[in-house]
Amino acid sequence: MDLKEKLLSSFMAFEERVDVNADLHNIRTEAIKNFEYKGFPTKKDEAWKYTSLNSILKNDFSVFPKEENALNYADVKKYFLHEIDTYKVVFIDGIFSSFLSSTTHDGLDVCLMSSAMTKPKYKAVIDEYFNKAANNADSLTSLNTAFSYEGAYINIPKNKVADKPVEIVYLSTGNEAALMVQPRNLIIVGRNAQVQIIERHQSLNSNPVLTNSVTEIFVDERAIADYYKIQNDVLTANLIDNTYISQKKDSIASVHTFSFGGNITRNNLNFYHEGEHVESTLKGITIIGEKQLVDHYTLVNHAQPNCVSHQNYKGIFDGNATGVFNGKIFVEKEAQKTDAFQQNNNILLSEKATINAKPQLEIFADDVKCSHGCTIGQLDESAMFYMQSRGIPKKEAKALLMYAFSNEVIESIKIPELKNRITKLIASKLGVNMGFNL
């Protein structure tokens, strides 16, 4: 039985395990039908032409963990932003860990999707927001919707500023020979509200893991949402991340994606402008080697006038690594005075490393400012020579140039402790101690 057949045969058993209302049952049923019809994407699909899932799908994944597993905080502390106090929503093999978590209902909700889906007091919110931003035509999003039950539910009411960042952490113990998990996150940032969120998926051993994640984020009028994704998993972990962001007028939303680890990582990031004077920021740093693959597929749908979007992705590829960047800016006829910028810069450190870049602009308005650029090259030899001639060893000179290449993205991180953490991760990936005072 292949993975698609296993998932289809497991669907009814899954629904019997969860307490869902009729509306959710109907949503799930339509979603599983769409997945059954479309199946897993292949390289024949234009959006997946550079990324194949065939090697992943050969694994015999368990689709439900057999038992709850416990972890000691001391053993996983390094995966948290422990330098500061945060709210924490932690899952072990897809199951909520109350021991490792720090949730709240004190003026704002930082809790669980399973609670939001099953408790009457959340029904109105679920009816209004759940599955409303997600692309229901996408097969992997549909698969997640069909099995959606657990994940983070974050609701910041209007005029509230979250007093500390929220961490969403998914830990995989490896107690299963191979495990598939499908977290579903719903984040609502009310009018004039603000929140900072950090998300991480982390395997604790080398058993294969496939994560098919969907996150819906709704940013209301004059609200601010900062989202940070840390992707530094082991080389047998695979992540398909689908994030959908709906923004109302005068809102600001940013997503920073740091892709350093994992086997195959696919980031589908979609922004939808639902009001005027919206600001959207998409930035990322990818540093990979060996046979790793990171695929960024972005969309900014400018549907209203006077909105701004800024995309800036940096990639450093070594060994047999493969990078993909497909960035699409879509400007509808009504979206006059749009200001959209997209930049993708890449460095290839080896002759066998590959980058496939496809910036796209589809513009149907006539009064806009839109630009895109893409560069693919190697390190500046003259800069290397200059630094070495002044006594900087070649390895350190190379690392400093690559850090400088990434710095434009690093500098826009708004949580100082996270900025320090990312700097350390980059230094580790580059294999040097660059002497930063952290």
Side-chain angles (χ1 to χ4, degrees), residues 343-354:
Q343 186 69 33
N344 173 230
N345 302 110
N346 304 282
I347 293 175
L348 302 181
L349 299 178
S350 114
E351 293 183 356
K352 295 183 178 180
T354 304

Side-chain angles (χ1 to χ4, degrees), residues 227-245:
Y227 208 96
Y228 301 93
K229 298 174 182 285
I230 302 175
Q231 300 169 346
N232 190 35
D233 216 336
V234 300
L235 292 177
T236 50
N238 305 280
L239 172 63
I240 300 166
D241 183 275
N242 301 281
T243 299
Y244 301 93
I245 301 177

Side-chain angles (χ1 to χ4, degrees), residues 149-436:
Y149 179 70
E150 199 55 285
Y153 172 84
I154 300 170
N155 190 350
I156 312 299
K158 65 180 181 180
N159 303 321
K160 290 281 187 180
V161 176
D163 56 322
K164 51 190 176 183
V166 180
E167 291 189 89
I168 307 172
V169 181
Y170 293 93
L171 300 169
S172 299
T173 63
N175 292 341
E176 305 278 350
L179 179 66
M180 180 178 185
V181 291
Q182 302 199 72
R184 181 66 170 244
N185 304 314
L186 178 60
I187 298 160
I188 303 151
V189 190
R191 189 176 302 171
N192 301 313
Q194 296 182 33
V195 68
Q196 296 174 319
I197 299 172
I198 304 161
E199 176 191 290
R200 183 163 188 161
H201 301 263
Q202 188 65 50
S203 301
L204 304 181
N205 74 7
S206 60
N207 283 353
V209 175
L210 171 58
T211 300
N212 178 38
S213 175
V214 172
T215 300
E216 293 182 285
I217 305 173
F218 296 87
V219 190
D220 210 335
E221 296 178 10
R222 297 180 298 280
I224 300 175
D226 289 319
Y227 208 96
Y228 301 93
K229 298 174 182 285
I230 302 175
Q231 300 169 346
N232 190 35
D233 216 336
V234 300
L235 292 177
T236 50
N238 305 280
L239 172 63
I240 300 166
D241 183 275
N242 301 281
T243 299
Y244 301 93
I245 301 177
S246 173
Q247 292 184 250
K248 298 293 187 182
K249 69 176 184 178
D250 299 310
S251 66
I252 300 173
S254 64
V255 175
H256 289 68
T257 306
F258 304 100
S259 303
F260 304 140
N263 176 36
I264 292 177
T265 302
R266 166 76 175 218
N267 291 301
N268 297 317
L269 182 55
N270 306 271
F271 279 73
Y272 302 101
H273 292 178
E274 308 292 344
E276 293 192 48
H277 303 288
V278 163
E279 293 183 25
S280 303
T281 299
L282 303 75
K283 293 189 177 185
I285 299 173
T286 300
I287 305 176
I288 55 174
E290 301 190 38
K291 294 183 179 180
Q292 293 175 276
L293 182 149
V294 171
D295 184 342
H296 293 290
Y297 195 95
T298 70
L299 165 68
V300 181
N301 184 4
H302 285 266
Q304 299 292 332
N306 302 301
C307 294
V308 175
S309 68
H310 184 99
Q311 299 185 57
N312 192 358
Y313 283 80
K314 307 282 190 176
I316 300 173
F317 305 93
D318 204 351
N320 290 284
T322 300
V324 182
F325 177 79
N326 190 322
K328 184 174 183 179
I329 298 171
F330 188 89
V331 183
E332 297 188 19
K333 184 178 180 180
E334 296 79 8
Q336 303 294 341
K337 303 293 183 182
T338 287
D339 184 353
F341 170 82
Q342 181 189 96
Q343 186 69 33
N344 173 230
N345 302 110
N346 304 282
I347 293 175
L348 302 181
L349 299 178
S350 114
E351 293 183 356
K352 295 183 178 180
T354 304
I355 175 69
N356 301 288
K358 184 182 178 184
Q360 294 178 270
L361 297 178
E362 292 190 30
I363 303 171
F364 298 95
D366 52 20
D367 185 7
V368 301
K369 183 168 69 173
C370 297
S371 63
H372 67 82
C374 176
T375 62
I376 302 171
Q378 299 174 327
L379 289 176
D380 187 334
E381 292 295 332
S382 60
M384 285 283 293
F385 176 79
Y386 177 86
M387 295 173 76
Q388 288 180 264
S389 69
R390 278 149 181 79
I392 300 175
K394 182 176 181 180
K395 184 177 181 180
E396 281 71 18
K398 183 177 177 181
L400 284 169
L401 286 176
M402 289 188 286
Y403 180 81
F405 172 77
S406 307
N407 193 53
E408 188 177 355
V409 175
I410 298 169
E411 284 302 308
S412 64
I413 301 173
K414 296 177 182 177
I415 304 173
E417 295 81 6
L418 180 62
K419 182 184 292 187
N420 290 343
R421 177 72 65 91
I422 295 300
T423 300
K424 290 180 180 179
L425 285 175
I426 291 175
S428 176
K429 287 293 293 185
L430 300 179
V432 295
N433 180 356
M434 292 189 288
F436 292 105

